[in-house]
Amino acid sequence: MELNEVKFDCKYFRGEIPCLPNKQRDKVCPTCDEYVPIKTKILIIKLGALGDVIRTTPLVVKYRELYPNSHITWVTHSPDILPKESIEKILKYGFDAVNHVNHQKYDIAINLDKEMEACALLSTVKAKEKYGFIWNHEENHIDVATPAAVHKLITGLFDNISKQNTKSYLEEIFEICGLKFNYEPYLLNVNNDLVAKWTLLKDKSQDKKIIGLNTGCGKRWSTRLWAPDNWIALVRQLQHNNYYPVLLGGIDEDAQNNIYQYETGAYYPGTYSLEEFIAITANCDTIVSAVSMMMHIATGLQKPLILFNNIFNKHEFEMYGRGTIIEPTSGCDDYYGNVCTRENCCMNDISVEMVYNAIVKFS
């Protein structure tokens, strides 16, 4: 074989190692009948946070529709959350990832993070079209790759303008990329073996509806916490009405969830890896949460969701018609705040009855 016979533009080409058609079926260029030339090379830079990575995945669905023979590379801090079967190359941000993408040529390159490292990366990438946020080296500040990103940049800089926004995050990022959001679904890396393992919840529930209660909200946004007495009362009301509540959370919620379990007898599986946490969530019928990351996991699993919100603009959240957002009746004084300035926290406005009625409606 001559070097000029190698199909370097094939979607299965993996660089210095054999492609899967060769490895599995002994196919060889140039006679391979599985040759699929790449028509469009796309780069997505979305480093974090993890929930933001998940809610950016509908772009992959849209680009697959528009460019069937595309090759997609994604650079992120959270590679494990992305489904490998849907994205050709997933790179964890670092020197190797930056070096790799800076030695490629792309048709489309997108950066949806405003942090300097992400903006700087878009500025150095070779691409025919660039979208999102970029670094302005001449004036030494964040900038926009096209005017379509101006709105999203401005709302990130000024709270009073951000409060006026009526578009969901997905509508905004699709517009930034010159696209129209048509309710393309999330993509999520789901371990089906672990999902099968946690069907034990179905046995424990004895055919009752399983309600996953994600009781905390991490350390950053403590302003979103619902009072422990409310969680206990909600668990008891669910149990009384033939539901099966399951307590969910991470390390930060572990101690409190053990207290809830002791007080109510509700099942608490403990803390697990993100992969297993997703599998547990997949076995719930409905989710209740104040955490946006759990929102994105539930949305990716297409689970009905009851989402508490006080400090964010509710219009940012795309619920796909599978749930509802519950907010304090008196509003909130601490937009994007991590310290509550009220003596009586606005989250106390959210009653157990409001949450229970929403669960009944969406279960």
Side-chain angles (χ1 to χ4, degrees):
M1 177 189 294
E2 299 296 328
L3 185 61
N4 61 10
E5 294 180 298
V6 176
K7 301 295 187 181
F8 294 107
D9 64 338
C10 180
K11 70 174 292 184
Y12 297 111
F13 180 73
R14 296 199 291 174
E16 73 281 6
I17 60 176
C19 65
L20 292 182
N22 175 257
K23 196 76 173 173
Q24 297 174 354
R25 294 175 289 281
D26 293 328
K27 299 296 178 69
V28 178
C29 299
T31 58
C32 176
D33 58 0
E34 296 184 49
Y35 166 59
V36 180
I38 296 169
K39 299 295 186 183
T40 309
K41 288 193 70 173
I42 300 169
L43 172 67
I44 299 174
I45 303 166
K46 185 61 181 166
L47 304 184
L50 191 145
D52 279 346
V53 172
I54 298 172
R55 69 172 174 171
T56 304
T57 57
L59 277 176
V60 174
V61 178
K62 174 63 81 173
Y63 279 125
R64 291 295 183 208
E65 176 189 327
L66 295 173
Y67 308 105
N69 290 344
S70 59
H71 181 286
I72 297 177
T73 298
W74 192 311
V75 181
T76 178
H77 287 310
S78 309
D80 293 340
I81 201 66
L82 294 170
K84 295 178 176 60
E85 68 276 8
S86 301
I87 303 167
E88 282 76 16
K89 191 171 288 291
I90 302 171
L91 301 173
K92 184 174 177 60
Y93 180 79
F95 174 80
D96 290 344
V98 172
N99 188 51
H100 176 90
V101 299
N102 275 330
H103 283 83
Q104 302 288 320
K105 291 181 180 179
Y106 298 94
D107 296 290
I108 298 170
I110 304 152
N111 169 44
L112 297 169
D113 279 330
K114 298 169 188 171
E115 287 73 20
M116 180 180 176
E117 63 266 34
C119 295
L121 182 54
L122 184 64
S123 71
T124 59
V125 164
K126 303 178 188 71
K128 296 176 184 176
E129 301 174 20
K130 294 185 180 183
Y131 299 98
F133 308 108
I134 199 165
W135 192 254
N136 185 324
H137 292 279
E138 292 185 7
E139 299 182 13
N140 203 36
H141 62 72
I142 185 174
D143 210 334
V144 295
T146 70
V150 169
H151 171 76
K152 187 65 173 170
L153 179 57
I154 294 296
T155 56
L157 296 176
F158 303 100
D159 278 353
N160 56 331
I161 299 177
S162 176
K163 289 177 183 178
Q164 300 169 22
N165 178 48
T166 58
K167 296 179 181 179
S168 73
Y169 173 82
L170 286 165
E171 287 178 291
E172 290 182 299
I173 65 168
F174 271 60
E175 287 180 6
I176 285 172
C177 298
L179 307 170
K180 181 173 175 55
F181 176 58
N182 193 31
Y183 297 94
E184 285 77 9
Y186 282 33
L187 300 176
L188 192 62
N189 187 20
V190 179
N191 185 321
N192 290 319
D193 290 336
L194 287 177
V195 173
K197 166 189 168 182
W198 282 99
T199 55
L200 64 88
L201 291 179
K202 308 291 185 184
D203 298 329
K204 288 180 176 292
S205 69
Q206 298 179 336
D207 295 326
K208 298 175 183 175
K209 292 279 189 181
I210 301 171
I211 312 300
L213 304 177
N214 191 195
T215 59
C217 55
K219 294 179 179 179
R220 183 180 181 187
W221 303 116
S222 59
T223 39
R224 303 177 76 181
L225 280 171
W226 204 37
D229 287 349
N230 288 334
W231 283 114
I232 291 170
L234 178 62
V235 168
R236 288 175 173 161
Q237 187 164 355
L238 288 168
Q239 291 169 328
H240 179 73
N241 288 280
N242 213 35
Y243 290 93
Y244 187 76
V246 174
L247 301 164
L248 300 173
I251 296 296
D252 293 337
E253 291 76 45
D254 185 54
Q256 191 64 52
N257 276 340
N258 275 296
I259 293 172
Y260 294 150
Q261 181 183 44
Y262 176 79
E263 292 288 337
T264 66
Y267 180 62
Y268 172 47
T271 60
Y272 288 90
S273 67
L274 176 63
E275 187 178 38
E276 197 143 5
F277 183 80
I278 291 171
I280 295 169
T281 306
N283 280 281
C284 297
D285 294 299
T286 302
I287 302 297
V288 180
S289 178
V291 184
S292 51
M293 189 185 84
M294 173 53 112
M295 170 196 169
H296 302 310
I297 291 172
T299 302
L301 294 169
Q302 299 188 11
K303 298 291 179 179
L305 172 71
I306 314 304
L307 179 68
F308 297 161
N309 178 57
N310 59 340
I311 61 173
F312 301 135
N313 182 332
K314 68 178 181 180
H315 296 290
E316 293 181 10
F317 302 123
E318 176 53 63
M319 304 291 285
Y320 287 85
R322 294 188 296 266
T324 190
I325 297 172
I326 298 180
E327 297 187 311
T329 52
S330 63
C332 179
D333 300 334
D334 303 296
Y335 193 67
Y336 274 85
N338 49 26
V339 176
C340 186
T341 56
R342 287 190 190 181
E343 184 176 345
N344 183 25
C345 180
C346 67
M347 286 295 291
N348 293 328
D349 290 355
I350 298 177
S351 70
V352 172
E353 202 62 30
M354 289 166 64
V355 180
Y356 174 75
N357 289 339
I359 292 171
V360 172
K361 180 177 179 180
F362 288 98
S363 296

